[in-house]
Amino acid sequence: MQPQIRALQKAHPPPLHRPLGGKSVLTGGLDALEFIGKKTMNVLAESDPGFKRTKTLMERTVSLSQMLREAKEKEKQRLAQQLTMERTAHYGMLFDEYQGLSHLEALEILSNESESKVQSFLASLDGEKLELLKNDLISIKDIFAAKELENEESQEEQGLEEKGEEFARMLTELLFELHVAATPDKLNKAMKKAHDWVEEDQTVVSVDVAKESEEETKKKEKEEKPQDPQEDKKEEKRTKTIEEVYMLSIESLAEVTARCIEQLHKVAELILHGQEEEKPAQDQAKVLIKLTTAMCNEVASLSKKFTTSLTTAGSNKKAEVLNPMLSSVLLEGCNSTTYIQDAFQLLLPVLQVSHIQTSCLKAQP
């Protein structure tokens, strides 16, 4: 209530010359409105212990896309001054390049619209119907709140991300279990691309280490023989600079996270408008927890693999060169999982609206 009142005051400033008493009347009226608004929020918070936590969470997630957009704009301004055409390893810009920011903003809008619909519908009810529906909505919210207690299950599933095929199979099964017509093609493709370059890099390193002594002993023989152009091409493929590995790491994290947000956005739209078959919202919430946990585990695993590749590529670099890159990859890996978890929380009002729609259909004769 308070921000809207301040905006109103800014949009309509008081005139310089006002009749005596006008200022006190306007100020008093605005103060009264502000008091009523605060009182209403306090009553809601008292009747629902989880209201304050939910409100805080919504405020945090709603500002996420704005925060990312501001960071991207600052980096664009910085790069414009450098007059360079090379791609930069800036997470925010790459995340936006893969449409992650657009899907996050669209999901925020969908979540806010759903929240408004929930509040409107609740305001139209009273008595026993209101209490029954509130209990149902709170039960859905409790499942979302319990997401943070899923650490044990999260660690048990950690081994599944070793193979991209297992992760792809799990995503497909979970989406099928949600009863929505969504396929994780883009996300699976991004995951596979990330795993492929890491595995290729690790294979090249192991081959180079195994042949290091052999190449040392045959160095003289190679110098005497004419060089094979095809061999030179193979050697080029085997080498990645620390800067290239760092760029690939940040880009892969940004792309995979953007695809995860896109997947959750599409799931939200399908839950509201395109379910193949009705499924209880409580059950869908539990499946979404599994889906989000799998995404976060996979991103965390990729982040660790990237740091391993980065450490290997920078083995001959000084600590002041390597350590900032390692820290940056680990930080963006943590940020990626946070963005996915925040996007998951935005689905709460969507599931609540879906439950209301289903309940209304069942109530019809």
Side-chain angles (χ1 to χ4, degrees), residues 33-66:
L33 285 172
E34 187 173 345
F35 172 78
I36 293 169
K38 287 181 177 178
K39 191 69 177 175
T40 303
M41 299 296 273
N42 291 336
V43 170
L44 284 172
E46 290 171 4
S47 61
D48 180 3
F51 175 80
K52 187 176 292 185
R53 181 182 181 280
T54 303
K55 181 174 178 291
T56 303
L57 180 63
M58 288 299 295
E59 287 175 349
R60 178 167 64 88
T61 53
V62 165
S63 63
L64 176 58
S65 63
Q66 183 180 356

PDB file of all heavy atoms in Angstrom, residues 33-66:
ATOM      1  N   LEU A  33      -5.550   5.877   4.709  1.00  0.00           N
ATOM      2  CA  LEU A  33      -5.455   4.768   3.758  1.00  0.00           C
ATOM      3  C   LEU A  33      -4.255   3.886   4.079  1.00  0.00           C
ATOM      4  O   LEU A  33      -4.329   2.648   4.033  1.00  0.00           O
ATOM      5  CB  LEU A  33      -5.319   5.316   2.330  1.00  0.00           C
ATOM      6  CG  LEU A  33      -6.588   5.895   1.694  1.00  0.00           C
ATOM      7  CD1 LEU A  33      -6.249   6.570   0.380  1.00  0.00           C
ATOM      8  CD2 LEU A  33      -7.636   4.809   1.486  1.00  0.00           C
ATOM      9  N   GLU A  34      -3.133   4.518   4.392  1.00  0.00           N
ATOM     10  CA  GLU A  34      -1.929   3.757   4.711  1.00  0.00           C
ATOM     11  C   GLU A  34      -2.127   2.918   5.964  1.00  0.00           C
ATOM     12  O   GLU A  34      -1.714   1.758   6.038  1.00  0.00           O
ATOM     13  CB  GLU A  34      -0.752   4.723   4.911  1.00  0.00           C
ATOM     14  CG  GLU A  34       0.582   4.031   5.080  1.00  0.00           C
ATOM     15  CD  GLU A  34       1.729   5.013   5.098  1.00  0.00           C
ATOM     16  OE1 GLU A  34       1.524   6.173   4.698  1.00  0.00           O
ATOM     17  OE2 GLU A  34       2.828   4.611   5.514  1.00  0.00           O
ATOM     18  N   PHE A  35      -2.797   3.478   6.948  1.00  0.00           N
ATOM     19  CA  PHE A  35      -3.058   2.755   8.195  1.00  0.00           C
ATOM     20  C   PHE A  35      -3.939   1.530   7.942  1.00  0.00           C
ATOM     21  O   PHE A  35      -3.681   0.429   8.429  1.00  0.00           O
ATOM     22  CB  PHE A  35      -3.739   3.684   9.207  1.00  0.00           C
ATOM     23  CG  PHE A  35      -4.217   2.982  10.455  1.00  0.00           C
ATOM     24  CD1 PHE A  35      -3.314   2.643  11.452  1.00  0.00           C
ATOM     25  CD2 PHE A  35      -5.555   2.640  10.616  1.00  0.00           C
ATOM     26  CE1 PHE A  35      -3.741   1.984  12.593  1.00  0.00           C
ATOM     27  CE2 PHE A  35      -5.985   1.986  11.746  1.00  0.00           C
ATOM     28  CZ  PHE A  35      -5.078   1.657  12.749  1.00  0.00           C
ATOM     29  N   ILE A  36      -4.981   1.734   7.109  1.00  0.00           N
ATOM     30  CA  ILE A  36      -5.894   0.621   6.783  1.00  0.00           C
ATOM     31  C   ILE A  36      -5.135  -0.481   6.060  1.00  0.00           C
ATOM     32  O   ILE A  36      -5.309  -1.673   6.331  1.00  0.00           O
ATOM     33  CB  ILE A  36      -7.069   1.133   5.918  1.00  0.00           C
ATOM     34  CG1 ILE A  36      -7.951   2.078   6.753  1.00  0.00           C
ATOM     35  CG2 ILE A  36      -7.898  -0.038   5.387  1.00  0.00           C
ATOM     36  CD1 ILE A  36      -8.974   2.822   5.930  1.00  0.00           C
ATOM     37  N   GLY A  37      -4.281  -0.078   5.127  1.00  0.00           N
ATOM     38  CA  GLY A  37      -3.508  -1.071   4.384  1.00  0.00           C
ATOM     39  C   GLY A  37      -2.604  -1.882   5.288  1.00  0.00           C
ATOM     40  O   GLY A  37      -2.527  -3.109   5.190  1.00  0.00           O
ATOM     41  N   LYS A  38      -1.886  -1.198   6.190  1.00  0.00           N
ATOM     42  CA  LYS A  38      -1.004  -1.902   7.116  1.00  0.00           C
ATOM     43  C   LYS A  38      -1.794  -2.835   8.015  1.00  0.00           C
ATOM     44  O   LYS A  38      -1.378  -3.956   8.313  1.00  0.00           O
ATOM     45  CB  LYS A  38      -0.230  -0.896   7.968  1.00  0.00           C
ATOM     46  CG  LYS A  38       0.871  -0.166   7.215  1.00  0.00           C
ATOM     47  CD  LYS A  38       1.612   0.786   8.142  1.00  0.00           C
ATOM     48  CE  LYS A  38       2.764   1.462   7.411  1.00  0.00           C
ATOM     49  NZ  LYS A  38       3.475   2.420   8.287  1.00  0.00           N
ATOM     50  N   LYS A  39      -2.970  -2.350   8.480  1.00  0.00           N
ATOM     51  CA  LYS A  39      -3.811  -3.158   9.367  1.00  0.00           C
ATOM     52  C   LYS A  39      -4.266  -4.426   8.649  1.00  0.00           C
ATOM     53  O   LYS A  39      -4.263  -5.531   9.208  1.00  0.00           O
ATOM     54  CB  LYS A  39      -5.026  -2.328   9.809  1.00  0.00           C
ATOM     55  CG  LYS A  39      -5.833  -2.969  10.933  1.00  0.00           C
ATOM     56  CD  LYS A  39      -5.062  -2.963  12.235  1.00  0.00           C
ATOM     57  CE  LYS A  39      -5.891  -3.531  13.371  1.00  0.00           C
ATOM     58  NZ  LYS A  39      -5.113  -3.650  14.619  1.00  0.00           N
ATOM     59  N   THR A  40      -4.656  -4.275   7.377  1.00  0.00           N
ATOM     60  CA  THR A  40      -5.104  -5.432   6.592  1.00  0.00           C
ATOM     61  C   THR A  40      -3.988  -6.457   6.455  1.00  0.00           C
ATOM     62  O   THR A  40      -4.196  -7.666   6.616  1.00  0.00           O
ATOM     63  CB  THR A  40      -5.558  -4.975   5.190  1.00  0.00           C
ATOM     64  OG1 THR A  40      -6.577  -3.998   5.339  1.00  0.00           O
ATOM     65  CG2 THR A  40      -6.091  -6.153   4.387  1.00  0.00           C
ATOM     66  N   MET A  41      -2.772  -6.000   6.140  1.00  0.00           N
ATOM     67  CA  MET A  41      -1.638  -6.910   5.991  1.00  0.00           C
ATOM     68  C   MET A  41      -1.328  -7.619   7.303  1.00  0.00           C
ATOM     69  O   MET A  41      -1.011  -8.805   7.319  1.00  0.00           O
ATOM     70  CB  MET A  41      -0.401  -6.132   5.517  1.00  0.00           C
ATOM     71  CG  MET A  41      -0.568  -5.462   4.174  1.00  0.00           C
ATOM     72  SD  MET A  41      -0.815  -6.619   2.815  1.00  0.00           S
ATOM     73  CE  MET A  41       0.877  -6.952   2.393  1.00  0.00           C
ATOM     74  N   ASN A  42      -1.455  -6.892   8.422  1.00  0.00           N
ATOM     75  CA  ASN A  42      -1.203  -7.506   9.735  1.00  0.00           C
ATOM     76  C   ASN A  42      -2.219  -8.588  10.052  1.00  0.00           C
ATOM     77  O   ASN A  42      -1.893  -9.647  10.579  1.00  0.00           O
ATOM     78  CB  ASN A  42      -1.222  -6.440  10.840  1.00  0.00           C
ATOM     79  CG  ASN A  42      -0.029  -5.498  10.752  1.00  0.00           C
ATOM     80  OD1 ASN A  42       0.995  -5.867  10.191  1.00  0.00           O
ATOM     81  ND2 ASN A  42      -0.171  -4.299  11.282  1.00  0.00           N
ATOM     82  N   VAL A  43      -3.483  -8.319   9.726  1.00  0.00           N
ATOM     83  CA  VAL A  43      -4.546  -9.316   9.962  1.00  0.00           C
ATOM     84  C   VAL A  43      -4.291 -10.572   9.146  1.00  0.00           C
ATOM     85  O   VAL A  43      -4.419 -11.700   9.618  1.00  0.00           O
ATOM     86  CB  VAL A  43      -5.936  -8.712   9.627  1.00  0.00           C
ATOM     87  CG1 VAL A  43      -6.996  -9.804   9.642  1.00  0.00           C
ATOM     88  CG2 VAL A  43      -6.280  -7.616  10.620  1.00  0.00           C
ATOM     89  N   LEU A  44      -3.919 -10.379   7.867  1.00  0.00           N
ATOM     90  CA  LEU A  44      -3.620 -11.526   7.009  1.00  0.00           C
ATOM     91  C   LEU A  44      -2.447 -12.322   7.564  1.00  0.00           C
ATOM     92  O   LEU A  44      -2.457 -13.553   7.566  1.00  0.00           O
ATOM     93  CB  LEU A  44      -3.279 -11.046   5.588  1.00  0.00           C
ATOM     94  CG  LEU A  44      -4.465 -10.599   4.723  1.00  0.00           C
ATOM     95  CD1 LEU A  44      -3.969  -9.968   3.441  1.00  0.00           C
ATOM     96  CD2 LEU A  44      -5.404 -11.746   4.426  1.00  0.00           C
ATOM     97  N   ALA A  45      -1.426 -11.621   8.032  1.00  0.00           N
ATOM     98  CA  ALA A  45      -0.248 -12.297   8.561  1.00  0.00           C
ATOM     99  C   ALA A  45      -0.583 -13.091   9.814  1.00  0.00           C
ATOM    100  O   ALA A  45      -0.063 -14.187  10.037  1.00  0.00           O
ATOM    101  CB  ALA A  45       0.843 -11.271   8.871  1.00  0.00           C
ATOM    102  N   GLU A  46      -1.486 -12.544  10.646  1.00  0.00           N
ATOM    103  CA  GLU A  46      -1.864 -13.248  11.876  1.00  0.00           C
ATOM    104  C   GLU A  46      -2.681 -14.494  11.575  1.00  0.00           C
ATOM    105  O   GLU A  46      -2.530 -15.536  12.202  1.00  0.00           O
ATOM    106  CB  GLU A  46      -2.668 -12.310  12.785  1.00  0.00           C
ATOM    107  CG  GLU A  46      -1.804 -11.193  13.397  1.00  0.00           C
ATOM    108  CD  GLU A  46      -2.661 -10.150  14.109  1.00  0.00           C
ATOM    109  OE1 GLU A  46      -3.883 -10.362  14.179  1.00  0.00           O
ATOM    110  OE2 GLU A  46      -2.098  -9.146  14.586  1.00  0.00           O
ATOM    111  N   SER A  47      -3.562 -14.417  10.562  1.00  0.00           N
ATOM    112  CA  SER A  47      -4.419 -15.562  10.246  1.00  0.00           C
ATOM    113  C   SER A  47      -3.664 -16.650   9.496  1.00  0.00           C
ATOM    114  O   SER A  47      -4.055 -17.807   9.510  1.00  0.00           O
ATOM    115  CB  SER A  47      -5.618 -15.113   9.399  1.00  0.00           C
ATOM    116  OG  SER A  47      -5.169 -14.563   8.180  1.00  0.00           O
ATOM    117  N   ASP A  48      -2.565 -16.272   8.825  1.00  0.00           N
ATOM    118  CA  ASP A  48      -1.774 -17.248   8.063  1.00  0.00           C
ATOM    119  C   ASP A  48      -0.301 -17.087   8.441  1.00  0.00           C
ATOM    120  O   ASP A  48       0.360 -16.166   7.982  1.00  0.00           O
ATOM    121  CB  ASP A  48      -1.961 -17.001   6.557  1.00  0.00           C
ATOM    122  CG  ASP A  48      -1.164 -17.998   5.720  1.00  0.00           C
ATOM    123  OD1 ASP A  48      -0.528 -18.894   6.321  1.00  0.00           O
ATOM    124  OD2 ASP A  48      -1.191 -17.884   4.493  1.00  0.00           O
ATOM    125  N   PRO A  49       0.242 -17.968   9.276  1.00  0.00           N
ATOM    126  CA  PRO A  49       1.633 -17.835   9.736  1.00  0.00           C
ATOM    127  C   PRO A  49       2.640 -17.809   8.595  1.00  0.00           C
ATOM    128  O   PRO A  49       3.711 -17.251   8.724  1.00  0.00           O
ATOM    129  CB  PRO A  49       1.833 -19.083  10.609  1.00  0.00           C
ATOM    130  CG  PRO A  49       0.461 -19.506  10.995  1.00  0.00           C
ATOM    131  CD  PRO A  49      -0.430 -19.124   9.861  1.00  0.00           C
ATOM    132  N   GLY A  50       2.312 -18.448   7.481  1.00  0.00           N
ATOM    133  CA  GLY A  50       3.257 -18.490   6.365  1.00  0.00           C
ATOM    134  C   GLY A  50       3.160 -17.301   5.432  1.00  0.00           C
ATOM    135  O   GLY A  50       3.901 -17.186   4.475  1.00  0.00           O
ATOM    136  N   PHE A  51       2.224 -16.383   5.745  1.00  0.00           N
ATOM    137  CA  PHE A  51       1.996 -15.260   4.827  1.00  0.00           C
ATOM    138  C   PHE A  51       3.219 -14.367   4.709  1.00  0.00           C
ATOM    139  O   PHE A  51       3.634 -13.985   3.625  1.00  0.00           O
ATOM    140  CB  PHE A  51       0.800 -14.437   5.302  1.00  0.00           C
ATOM    141  CG  PHE A  51       0.550 -13.203   4.488  1.00  0.00           C
ATOM    142  CD1 PHE A  51      -0.113 -13.284   3.276  1.00  0.00           C
ATOM    143  CD2 PHE A  51       0.997 -11.965   4.911  1.00  0.00           C
ATOM    144  CE1 PHE A  51      -0.337 -12.151   2.510  1.00  0.00           C
ATOM    145  CE2 PHE A  51       0.770 -10.823   4.163  1.00  0.00           C
ATOM    146  CZ  PHE A  51       0.102 -10.918   2.958  1.00  0.00           C
ATOM    147  N   LYS A  52       3.829 -14.025   5.860  1.00  0.00           N
ATOM    148  CA  LYS A  52       4.966 -13.117   5.851  1.00  0.00           C
ATOM    149  C   LYS A  52       6.124 -13.704   5.055  1.00  0.00           C
ATOM    150  O   LYS A  52       6.775 -13.035   4.262  1.00  0.00           O
ATOM    151  CB  LYS A  52       5.404 -12.832   7.288  1.00  0.00           C
ATOM    152  CG  LYS A  52       6.496 -11.754   7.376  1.00  0.00           C
ATOM    153  CD  LYS A  52       6.843 -11.436   8.817  1.00  0.00           C
ATOM    154  CE  LYS A  52       5.700 -10.746   9.516  1.00  0.00           C
ATOM    155  NZ  LYS A  52       6.068 -10.319  10.891  1.00  0.00           N
ATOM    156  N   ARG A  53       6.381 -15.013   5.242  1.00  0.00           N
ATOM    157  CA  ARG A  53       7.476 -15.670   4.515  1.00  0.00           C
ATOM    158  C   ARG A  53       7.184 -15.686   3.017  1.00  0.00           C
ATOM    159  O   ARG A  53       8.059 -15.431   2.198  1.00  0.00           O
ATOM    160  CB  ARG A  53       7.647 -17.102   5.030  1.00  0.00           C
ATOM    161  CG  ARG A  53       8.780 -17.847   4.343  1.00  0.00           C
ATOM    162  CD  ARG A  53       8.875 -19.271   4.862  1.00  0.00           C
ATOM    163  NE  ARG A  53       9.961 -19.960   4.220  1.00  0.00           N
ATOM    164  CZ  ARG A  53       9.895 -20.491   3.006  1.00  0.00           C
ATOM    165  NH1 ARG A  53       8.798 -20.381   2.306  1.00  0.00           N
ATOM    166  NH2 ARG A  53      10.940 -21.118   2.489  1.00  0.00           N
ATOM    167  N   THR A  54       5.923 -15.977   2.662  1.00  0.00           N
ATOM    168  CA  THR A  54       5.550 -16.018   1.250  1.00  0.00           C
ATOM    169  C   THR A  54       5.690 -14.645   0.617  1.00  0.00           C
ATOM    170  O   THR A  54       6.182 -14.504  -0.499  1.00  0.00           O
ATOM    171  CB  THR A  54       4.100 -16.508   1.109  1.00  0.00           C
ATOM    172  OG1 THR A  54       3.979 -17.780   1.724  1.00  0.00           O
ATOM    173  CG2 THR A  54       3.703 -16.611  -0.357  1.00  0.00           C
ATOM    174  N   LYS A  55       5.250 -13.598   1.336  1.00  0.00           N
ATOM    175  CA  LYS A  55       5.333 -12.236   0.817  1.00  0.00           C
ATOM    176  C   LYS A  55       6.788 -11.835   0.579  1.00  0.00           C
ATOM    177  O   LYS A  55       7.133 -11.280  -0.456  1.00  0.00           O
ATOM    178  CB  LYS A  55       4.674 -11.274   1.809  1.00  0.00           C
ATOM    179  CG  LYS A  55       4.682  -9.805   1.353  1.00  0.00           C
ATOM    180  CD  LYS A  55       3.881  -8.972   2.333  1.00  0.00           C
ATOM    181  CE  LYS A  55       3.916  -7.504   1.926  1.00  0.00           C
ATOM    182  NZ  LYS A  55       5.238  -6.911   2.103  1.00  0.00           N
ATOM    183  N   THR A  56       7.649 -12.157   1.530  1.00  0.00           N
ATOM    184  CA  THR A  56       9.077 -11.842   1.401  1.00  0.00           C
ATOM    185  C   THR A  56       9.682 -12.575   0.219  1.00  0.00           C
ATOM    186  O   THR A  56      10.449 -12.030  -0.566  1.00  0.00           O
ATOM    187  CB  THR A  56       9.829 -12.223   2.691  1.00  0.00           C
ATOM    188  OG1 THR A  56       9.233 -11.542   3.787  1.00  0.00           O
ATOM    189  CG2 THR A  56      11.301 -11.850   2.592  1.00  0.00           C
ATOM    190  N   LEU A  57       9.317 -13.850   0.069  1.00  0.00           N
ATOM    191  CA  LEU A  57       9.831 -14.675  -1.029  1.00  0.00           C
ATOM    192  C   LEU A  57       9.400 -14.118  -2.368  1.00  0.00           C
ATOM    193  O   LEU A  57      10.186 -14.018  -3.309  1.00  0.00           O
ATOM    194  CB  LEU A  57       9.339 -16.113  -0.869  1.00  0.00           C
ATOM    195  CG  LEU A  57       9.792 -17.105  -1.922  1.00  0.00           C
ATOM    196  CD1 LEU A  57      11.309 -17.245  -1.882  1.00  0.00           C
ATOM    197  CD2 LEU A  57       9.138 -18.453  -1.682  1.00  0.00           C
ATOM    198  N   MET A  58       8.115 -13.719  -2.478  1.00  0.00           N
ATOM    199  CA  MET A  58       7.614 -13.180  -3.726  1.00  0.00           C
ATOM    200  C   MET A  58       8.333 -11.881  -4.087  1.00  0.00           C
ATOM    201  O   MET A  58       8.686 -11.637  -5.234  1.00  0.00           O
ATOM    202  CB  MET A  58       6.101 -12.922  -3.627  1.00  0.00           C
ATOM    203  CG  MET A  58       5.259 -14.189  -3.624  1.00  0.00           C
ATOM    204  SD  MET A  58       5.481 -15.158  -5.141  1.00  0.00           S
ATOM    205  CE  MET A  58       4.803 -14.029  -6.345  1.00  0.00           C
ATOM    206  N   GLU A  59       8.574 -11.015  -3.072  1.00  0.00           N
ATOM    207  CA  GLU A  59       9.271  -9.767  -3.337  1.00  0.00           C
ATOM    208  C   GLU A  59      10.678 -10.035  -3.858  1.00  0.00           C
ATOM    209  O   GLU A  59      11.175  -9.365  -4.741  1.00  0.00           O
ATOM    210  CB  GLU A  59       9.329  -8.924  -2.056  1.00  0.00           C
ATOM    211  CG  GLU A  59       7.972  -8.319  -1.686  1.00  0.00           C
ATOM    212  CD  GLU A  59       8.029  -7.593  -0.354  1.00  0.00           C
ATOM    213  OE1 GLU A  59       9.047  -7.743   0.347  1.00  0.00           O
ATOM    214  OE2 GLU A  59       7.059  -6.899  -0.028  1.00  0.00           O
ATOM    215  N   ARG A  60      11.336 -11.065  -3.305  1.00  0.00           N
ATOM    216  CA  ARG A  60      12.697 -11.391  -3.711  1.00  0.00           C
ATOM    217  C   ARG A  60      12.725 -11.941  -5.134  1.00  0.00           C
ATOM    218  O   ARG A  60      13.536 -11.550  -5.952  1.00  0.00           O
ATOM    219  CB  ARG A  60      13.296 -12.409  -2.730  1.00  0.00           C
ATOM    220  CG  ARG A  60      14.700 -12.847  -3.116  1.00  0.00           C
ATOM    221  CD  ARG A  60      15.346 -13.584  -1.965  1.00  0.00           C
ATOM    222  NE  ARG A  60      14.650 -14.813  -1.658  1.00  0.00           N
ATOM    223  CZ  ARG A  60      14.912 -15.968  -2.245  1.00  0.00           C
ATOM    224  NH1 ARG A  60      15.826 -16.055  -3.174  1.00  0.00           N
ATOM    225  NH2 ARG A  60      14.235 -17.059  -1.900  1.00  0.00           N
ATOM    226  N   THR A  61      11.802 -12.856  -5.443  1.00  0.00           N
ATOM    227  CA  THR A  61      11.821 -13.477  -6.762  1.00  0.00           C
ATOM    228  C   THR A  61      11.366 -12.514  -7.842  1.00  0.00           C
ATOM    229  O   THR A  61      11.864 -12.541  -8.956  1.00  0.00           O
ATOM    230  CB  THR A  61      10.920 -14.731  -6.780  1.00  0.00           C
ATOM    231  OG1 THR A  61       9.627 -14.373  -6.301  1.00  0.00           O
ATOM    232  CG2 THR A  61      11.496 -15.810  -5.912  1.00  0.00           C
ATOM    233  N   VAL A  62      10.417 -11.640  -7.518  1.00  0.00           N
ATOM    234  CA  VAL A  62       9.923 -10.702  -8.521  1.00  0.00           C
ATOM    235  C   VAL A  62      11.028  -9.756  -8.958  1.00  0.00           C
ATOM    236  O   VAL A  62      11.085  -9.322 -10.100  1.00  0.00           O
ATOM    237  CB  VAL A  62       8.717  -9.916  -7.954  1.00  0.00           C
ATOM    238  CG1 VAL A  62       8.411  -8.700  -8.808  1.00  0.00           C
ATOM    239  CG2 VAL A  62       7.491 -10.817  -7.901  1.00  0.00           C
ATOM    240  N   SER A  63      11.953  -9.406  -8.061  1.00  0.00           N
ATOM    241  CA  SER A  63      13.019  -8.472  -8.406  1.00  0.00           C
ATOM    242  C   SER A  63      14.212  -9.159  -9.074  1.00  0.00           C
ATOM    243  O   SER A  63      15.155  -8.501  -9.482  1.00  0.00           O
ATOM    244  CB  SER A  63      13.508  -7.756  -7.141  1.00  0.00           C
ATOM    245  OG  SER A  63      14.062  -8.677  -6.237  1.00  0.00           O
ATOM    246  N   LEU A  64      14.166 -10.475  -9.209  1.00  0.00           N
ATOM    247  CA  LEU A  64      15.298 -11.212  -9.759  1.00  0.00           C
ATOM    248  C   LEU A  64      15.595 -10.823 -11.198  1.00  0.00           C
ATOM    249  O   LEU A  64      16.737 -10.540 -11.562  1.00  0.00           O
ATOM    250  CB  LEU A  64      15.042 -12.719  -9.660  1.00  0.00           C
ATOM    251  CG  LEU A  64      16.104 -13.632 -10.281  1.00  0.00           C
ATOM    252  CD1 LEU A  64      17.458 -13.377  -9.648  1.00  0.00           C
ATOM    253  CD2 LEU A  64      15.706 -15.080 -10.122  1.00  0.00           C
ATOM    254  N   SER A  65      14.568 -10.781 -12.044  1.00  0.00           N
ATOM    255  CA  SER A  65      14.798 -10.444 -13.456  1.00  0.00           C
ATOM    256  C   SER A  65      15.294  -9.014 -13.598  1.00  0.00           C
ATOM    257  O   SER A  65      16.136  -8.722 -14.444  1.00  0.00           O
ATOM    258  CB  SER A  65      13.513 -10.641 -14.271  1.00  0.00           C
ATOM    259  OG  SER A  65      12.500  -9.757 -13.826  1.00  0.00           O
ATOM    260  N   GLN A  66      14.777  -8.115 -12.765  1.00  0.00           N
ATOM    261  CA  GLN A  66      15.227  -6.721 -12.814  1.00  0.00           C
ATOM    262  C   GLN A  66      16.702  -6.628 -12.438  1.00  0.00           C
ATOM    263  O   GLN A  66      17.477  -5.902 -13.062  1.00  0.00           O
ATOM    264  CB  GLN A  66      14.388  -5.874 -11.859  1.00  0.00           C
ATOM    265  CG  GLN A  66      14.737  -4.397 -11.895  1.00  0.00           C
ATOM    266  CD  GLN A  66      13.885  -3.584 -10.949  1.00  0.00           C
ATOM    267  OE1 GLN A  66      12.980  -4.103 -10.311  1.00  0.00           O
ATOM    268  NE2 GLN A  66      14.171  -2.304 -10.847  1.00  0.00           N
TER     269      GLN A  66
END
